[in-house]
Amino acid sequence: MKLRNITQHLTLLVLAAIVAGALLGHFAPATAVKMEFLGKRFIDVVKLFINPIIFLTITLGISTMGDLKKVGRIGGKALLYFEVVTTLALFIGVAVAAVVRPGDGVAVGKLGTDKVGEFTKRAGEFSWGHFLADNLTLQVLIIAIVLGIALSKYAGRQPIIHFLKEASKYVFRGLHLVMLFAPIGAFGGMAFTIGKYGIATLLPLGKLMVTVYLTMAVFIFFILGAILRYCNIGMWSFLKYIRAELLIVLGTSSSEAGLPGLMEKLERMGCAQPVVGLVVPTGYSFNLDGTTIYLSLATLFLAQVFHVDLSGGQILTMMGILMVTSKGAAGVAGSGFVVLASTLTAMKVIPVEGLALLLGVDRFMSEARSITNFIGNGVATIFLAHNEGALDHEQAVEALGKRLKPLRFRKGYTSGEYLGQVAEQASEAARLLKNKK
């Protein structure tokens, strides 16, 4: 009974822990910095569950699906979705930086560039081969897909599937026990952040901080909100549904801490298991909406600080570089600075030493990045499940507590019907053009 009470009040406990950590960091920074191990150990333990959950979810999903073409179709649509949405995030970051100009008036002063060389060196060493070799999650994803396909073709697969299902139950049971310690992890992470960097470090770069958070909010509620609206789901309802995981991500500054819980809740709200298993893990490497926005803002911020007027061609070059390098960010520790260093080095017009300006506030902005990445992957899964007819809307209503009225377009079509009509018209036009030729 006591464990059930803790679970029911987990959101409130995590929120209280975050506040307590922030207060300790502000009033007793020396003590707060020593709390770092609490946040790190919690994330390390949660990470132990990520790959088993991904492996079991994908293997079971594919082996019981039957239609392997559907698996390939979901994977292809996911990659296309990731590219379109992250590119949109990149454009939004560039547009906001160009209008708000957060770097204007920032004094360079004496830069502490001693740590910058480390990121520059690692940026030069980065390669996609290393990215795949070092990214265990992607390796597990590939192995699970191969095994799931093999099992789907194996006549005697039922005993194996039964064993995997039983293993999955125990893994999630263990995860639920670990999540009871989420308040401790959130307390340690927040106490360390405030204690080490302090609120005062935000003042010189306050405009950049505000710009980053507001841009992320606009992206979440207008872009991702519109995508959910297409699926007849409200953003506020979804955020309320995953609020416990969001607070854990906020407290630990790590989206990985909430990944297993997100996967479980997406399944619970009616997203088919194969879609969740394929989209969420892949999205953690290729659908980094928050990271993409931050990288574009940070690059233009440094250009403005050093009074470097980038031409249209140089901005397009920067965007092209970030479209590639940001996809590998999740596989590299200290990824934000590594990707920024590689981008600045490739452009050769903005001083790489400017990264020193961001060292003090990056930890605070990493929370915005992690939360946006986290929400973005949840939205991507819901959209692709809805698109594939693999979302149980009645189950979603039961989980979220509310269904939105379908959007209405001209001629009275709902959003889905209207898009279907557009697709049919495009197909008919293509057929007539082909016959004309």
Side-chain angles (χ1 to χ4, degrees), residues 81-97:
Y81 173 94
F82 297 158
E83 189 58 45
V84 171
V85 176
T86 52
T87 301
L88 183 59
L90 187 58
F91 273 102
I92 290 173
V94 170
V96 171

Side-chain angles (χ1 to χ4, degrees), residues 5 9 18 39 46 57 61 70 73 95 104 139 152 154 170 281 287 299 301 306 350 354 372 376 381 392 424 426:
N5 288 338
H9 297 93
I18 290 173
V46 172
T57 301
K70 189 173 183 179
R73 187 170 66 246
D104 286 352
Q139 295 171 16
S152 68
Y154 177 51
Y170 284 106
N287 187 39
T299 304
F301 165 80
F306 290 101
I350 304 171
T372 307
T381 307
D392 187 330
E424 288 179 12

Side-chain angles (χ1 to χ4, degrees), residues 160-178:
I160 300 175
I161 290 176
H162 176 74
F163 171 77
L164 293 176
K165 284 183 177 179
E166 288 299 310
S168 180
K169 290 179 184 177
Y170 284 106
V171 168
F172 277 105
R173 205 171 290 171
L175 175 65
H176 292 159
L177 290 174
V178 170

Side-chain angles (χ1 to χ4, degrees), residues 303-324:
Q304 292 160 8
V305 167
F306 290 101
H307 307 290
V308 177
D309 293 323
L310 298 176
S311 65
Q314 287 173 321
I315 292 176
L316 288 175
T317 299
M318 176 204 75
M319 294 176 68
I321 294 170
L322 287 176
M323 283 175 66
V324 177

Side-chain angles (χ1 to χ4, degrees), residues 115-230:
K115 293 185 179 180
V116 175
E118 172 193 345
F119 297 110
T120 306
K121 180 182 177 183
R122 285 163 58 190
E125 294 172 349
F126 177 80
S127 70
W128 283 102
H130 288 150
F131 168 63
L132 183 58
D134 296 337
N135 195 320
L136 183 59
T137 299
L138 275 184
Q139 295 171 16
V140 171
L141 178 68
I142 293 169
I143 292 171
I145 290 173
V146 172
L147 182 60
I149 292 172
L151 278 177
S152 68
K153 295 179 176 296
Y154 177 51
R157 63 180 177 272
Q158 285 307 319
I160 300 175
I161 290 176
H162 176 74
F163 171 77
L164 293 176
K165 284 183 177 179
E166 288 299 310
S168 180
K169 290 179 184 177
Y170 284 106
V171 168
F172 277 105
R173 205 171 290 171
L175 175 65
H176 292 159
L177 290 174
V178 170
M179 295 312 291
L180 297 178
F181 296 91
I184 297 175
F187 169 80
M190 185 57 69
F192 168 76
T193 299
I194 302 297
K196 183 171 178 64
Y197 300 105
I199 302 297
T201 60
L202 305 181
L203 298 179
L205 300 180
K207 189 176 180 181
L208 175 63
M209 281 283 299
V210 171
T211 303
V212 168
Y213 272 84
L214 287 179
T215 306
M216 301 285 187
V218 167
F219 182 80
I220 289 170
F221 287 103
F222 286 90
I223 305 303
L224 298 182
I227 294 172
L228 275 188
R229 189 68 175 79
Y230 166 70

